[in-house]
Amino acid sequence: MKGIILISAYNSAGTLPGVLTKLKKYPFLEVLLIDDGSTDATADIANSYDVRVISHKKNLGKGAALQSGFHYATENNYDFVITQDADGQHPAESISGFLSAHEKHPRSVLLGSRKRDKRMPWPRKISNAISAFLISKRIHRKIYDAQCGFRLIPQPFFSWQCSTRRGFIYESEMLICFAENNADFRFIPIPTLYSKDNKSKMTYFRSTFGFISMYIVSFFKNYRKI
């Protein structure tokens, strides 16, 4: 099986070396970093680790970064994609759990699932609970963590055509698209990690408004494209 790890990154020079160092334990997986218009040394660091880099000239958003990655994976005939963040919140150690589950269920979409415990900041805990509840109602299936970007997505489900949204909401709309295309979901428990020094690039007001807009529009949209 031919797999690739997609890392979307924006000004991640502080955390990226640690992430890429830990990924060396998976030499059979290619790593592709999508540098989403960073103004720091993100791309240079990735290049120093011999990681393939796609660079956006300006910051377009996480959704746009993932779309570039999925396009690359499609064009190069990968069998599965693992999406991972560059901020260290998705531990490389958990990848083995995704790979084991993929071996048993090769056509399932595997979703990282975190506990909403005291380690998760309360604004994220609230937004995570609400989004998981609403997505579950929308697709008539239980989703435990709709915001976790740590996922393993097999062909043919990593079509970037599921959504054209450029921001963080892309990850939530993907779940609706997958469900509409009859994907089987399985959940991989991962640690809840948040660093005090690592501030989220997601703005809560904009993300909340974007999620509500996407959620309403999703009832009138045809997602059967895969």
Side-chain angles (χ1 to χ4, degrees), residues 157-165 170 173-174 176-178 181 221-223 225-226:
F157 292 108
F158 53 75
S159 172
W160 69 95
Q161 299 170 346
C162 272
S163 171
T164 58
R165 295 181 185 273
Y170 177 78
E173 189 167 34
M174 283 174 66
I176 298 174
C177 176
F178 293 156
N181 284 278
K221 192 171 179 179
N222 179 18
Y223 289 100
K225 296 181 180 179
I226 295 177

Side-chain angles (χ1 to χ4, degrees), residues 27-123:
F28 50 89
L29 296 175
E30 183 176 351
V31 179
L32 171 64
L33 182 129
I34 301 91
D35 175 28
D36 191 30
S38 297
T39 56
D40 64 3
T42 292
D44 293 334
I45 291 171
N47 285 322
S48 73
Y49 280 80
D50 294 325
V51 168
R52 186 178 297 274
V53 177
I54 293 176
S55 293
H56 292 172
K57 292 183 178 180
K58 62 179 181 178
N59 181 240
L60 299 177
K62 188 176 184 181
L66 290 175
Q67 288 162 32
S68 293
F70 286 130
H71 181 77
Y72 175 88
T74 301
E75 292 296 308
N76 289 276
N77 299 313
Y78 283 90
D79 298 303
F80 66 88
V81 160
I82 295 175
T83 59
Q84 182 178 4
D85 290 348
D87 57 8
Q89 292 184 17
H90 298 159
E93 295 79 8
S94 295
I95 290 177
S96 59
F98 282 92
L99 295 176
S100 296
H102 176 64
E103 186 175 355
K104 297 176 183 177
H105 310 284
R107 291 192 58 81
S108 297
V109 174
L110 307 178
L111 306 176
S113 182
R114 302 162 296 180
K115 291 183 178 180
R116 288 188 285 272
D117 56 24
K118 62 182 180 180
R119 290 170 292 186
M120 183 178 288
W122 68 266

Side-chain angles (χ1 to χ4, degrees), residues 144-212:
Y144 298 94
D145 187 348
Q147 296 179 342
C148 182
F150 205 4
R151 300 170 176 176
L152 188 151
I153 303 168
Q155 273 281 29
F157 292 108
F158 53 75
S159 172
W160 69 95
Q161 299 170 346
C162 272
S163 171
T164 58
R165 295 181 185 273
R166 292 187 166 190
F168 287 93
I169 307 305
Y170 177 78
E171 292 176 316
S172 294
E173 189 167 34
M174 283 174 66
L175 297 177
I176 298 174
C177 176
F178 293 156
E180 290 290 308
N181 284 278
N182 301 313
D184 174 52
F185 293 134
R186 294 180 185 270
F187 305 95
I188 308 299
I190 66 169
T192 304
L193 301 176
Y194 284 92
S195 170
K196 294 181 180 179
D197 299 324
N198 184 19
K199 295 182 178 180
S200 174
K201 298 178 178 68
M202 182 176 69
T203 56
Y204 296 117
F205 177 79
R206 180 180 297 178
S207 297
T208 300
F209 179 80
F211 178 84
I212 293 172

